[in-house]
């Protein structure tokens, strides 16, 4: 029996909307779609509970933008879970989507077998996963004591188990820095956070609150070049890197530790998207979407960390609500394709989402820069510019453009270049 709804006829049911994933993006998009007028909605979640990874994020900092309150991850998730149940939105837990077909048939498996639903629209909200050690090509054996930062977070915050006593953290992603603080509070010693780039990979507030406030050493432009130990990690060797991220001979330093945490970035979960033939952006690793968050397949939308990795769950929620509204409009009004203007990354721009716009309605454009700049100016063609005191790759920038700015476009405009220049360029 699904959560919140009636008994289902597994092979014959057709839904107005199927949402894949019950994390913050999936819940918010389903709620907003229901509030926008469509009735028959199904959320399919491979995990055993709602809310995604928020249940293991027991630190505060959630909801500052969306609720204007400082909440923990479980508190933030609970508000959407309760609302979803009030709206009687169907959910299937412990159900793994295996395939999405071009006619929006969704095949999934669970304890009862393999089943198929028909959908009028689909929202992809599968989230992201951590980059594993194997992708970093670190020499050494395969001892115990190597964990992703997210796995360690679950051990400590959910299971009540500290996986070591002396830690080195490779990568300065937000989860890694937050775990540095969490482990210190629990009495473990965090000997170093090692980052291969010349700047941190997460939010500046986490560098201040999690590393500086707890006196955790941060090594920028460094990497782990050797893992020591056979049965259990006994230490790591770190070294400074050159401009090509290669270790510099003579800069090696060994740090004794029994645990290495990997916090080296997140990857959107898009195996389903690729198998469905949806076009993927080579930089974001998420679907290519237009301003209504519709993918290259009409009626299939994407939002949250499966689209591009966000800094804040509040932004995930706002983006997901937009996907929910537009999926509902697709079901009730049909597809209304508009002329699309491509958005192209120019100077110092790493990626842009959405990748195209119509110029017919207000739109928020999200982007990240390639490298830090001070006294920067973001330009969208010759129609919009925004001054920024500082820009850094780890903090997403949003540009809110209105129809007024688009009114300056020439009729035959097919592409807008977005660039980031600093004073003196």
């Amino acid at each position: 029996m699904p959560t919140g709804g009636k008994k289902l006829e597994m092979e014959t049911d057709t839904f107005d909307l199927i949402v894949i994933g019950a994390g913050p993006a999936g819940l918010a998009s389903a709620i907003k779609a229901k509030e926008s007028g469509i009735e028959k909605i199904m959320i399919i979640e491979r995990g055993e509970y709602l809310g995604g990874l928020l249940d293991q994020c027991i630190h505060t900092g959630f909801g500052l933008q969306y609720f204007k309150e400082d909440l923990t991850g479980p508190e933030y998730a609970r508000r959407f879970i309760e609302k979803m149940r009030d709206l009687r939105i169907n959910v299937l837990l412990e159900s793994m989507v295996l395939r999405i077909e071009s006619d929006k048939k969704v095949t999934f498996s669970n304890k009862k077998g393999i089943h198929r639903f028909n959908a009028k629209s689909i929202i992809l909200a599968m989230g992201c996963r951590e980059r594993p050690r194997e992708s970093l090509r670190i020499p050494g054996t395969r001892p115990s004591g190597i964990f992703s930062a997210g796995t360690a977070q679950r051990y400590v915050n959910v299971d009540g188990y500290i996986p070591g006593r002396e830690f080195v953290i490779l990568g300065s992603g937000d989860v890694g820095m937050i775990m540095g603080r969490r482990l210190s509070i629990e009495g473990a010693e965090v000997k170093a956070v090692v980052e291969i780039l010349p700047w941190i990979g997460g939010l500046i507030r986490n560098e201040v609150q999690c590393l500086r406030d707890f006196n955790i050493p941060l090594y920028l432009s460094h990497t782990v070049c050797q893992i020591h130990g056979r049965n259990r990690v006994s230490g790591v060797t770190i070294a400074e890197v050159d401009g090509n991220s290669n270790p510099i001979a003579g800069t090696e330093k060994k740090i004794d530790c029994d645990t290495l945490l990997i916090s080296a970035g997140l990857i959107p979960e898009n195996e389903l998207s690729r198998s469905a033939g949806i076009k993927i952006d080579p930089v974001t690793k998420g679907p290519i979407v237009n301003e209504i968050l519709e993918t290259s397949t009409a009626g299939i939308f994407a939002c949250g960390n499966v689209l591009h990795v966000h800094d804040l769950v509040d932004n995930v929620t706002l983006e997901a609500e937009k996907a929910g509204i537009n999926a509902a409009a697709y079901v009730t009004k049909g597809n209304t394709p508009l002329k699309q203007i491509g958005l192209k990354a120019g100077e110092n721009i790493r990626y842009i989402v959405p990748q195209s716009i119509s110029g017919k309605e207000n739109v928020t454009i999200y982007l990240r820069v390639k490298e830090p700049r001070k006294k920067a100016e973001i330009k969208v063609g010759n129609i919009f510019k925004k001054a920024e005191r500082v820009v850094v790759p780890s903090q997403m920038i949003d540009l809110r453009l209105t129809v007024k700015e688009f009114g300056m476009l020439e009729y035959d405009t097919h592409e807008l270049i977005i660039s980031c220049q600093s004073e003196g360029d």
Side-chain angles (χ1 to χ4, degrees), residues 278-282 284 286-290 293-297 307 354-356:
I278 291 168
K279 293 180 180 178
I280 301 295
D281 186 304
T284 65
I288 293 173
V289 295
N290 58 23
L293 303 178
E294 188 176 36
T295 68
S296 56
T297 300
L307 179 58
Q355 287 82 358
S356 65

Side-chain angles (χ1 to χ4, degrees), residues 346-349 369 373-379 386-388 391 418-425:
E347 181 181 348
N348 197 31
I349 300 296
V369 297
R373 296 278 177 90
K374 294 182 179 180
K375 296 182 179 179
E377 186 174 69
I378 313 291
K379 291 184 178 180
K386 179 182 180 183
E388 296 279 359
V391 295
I418 302 181
S419 63
C420 173
Q421 298 178 330
S422 56
E423 197 173 76
D425 286 350

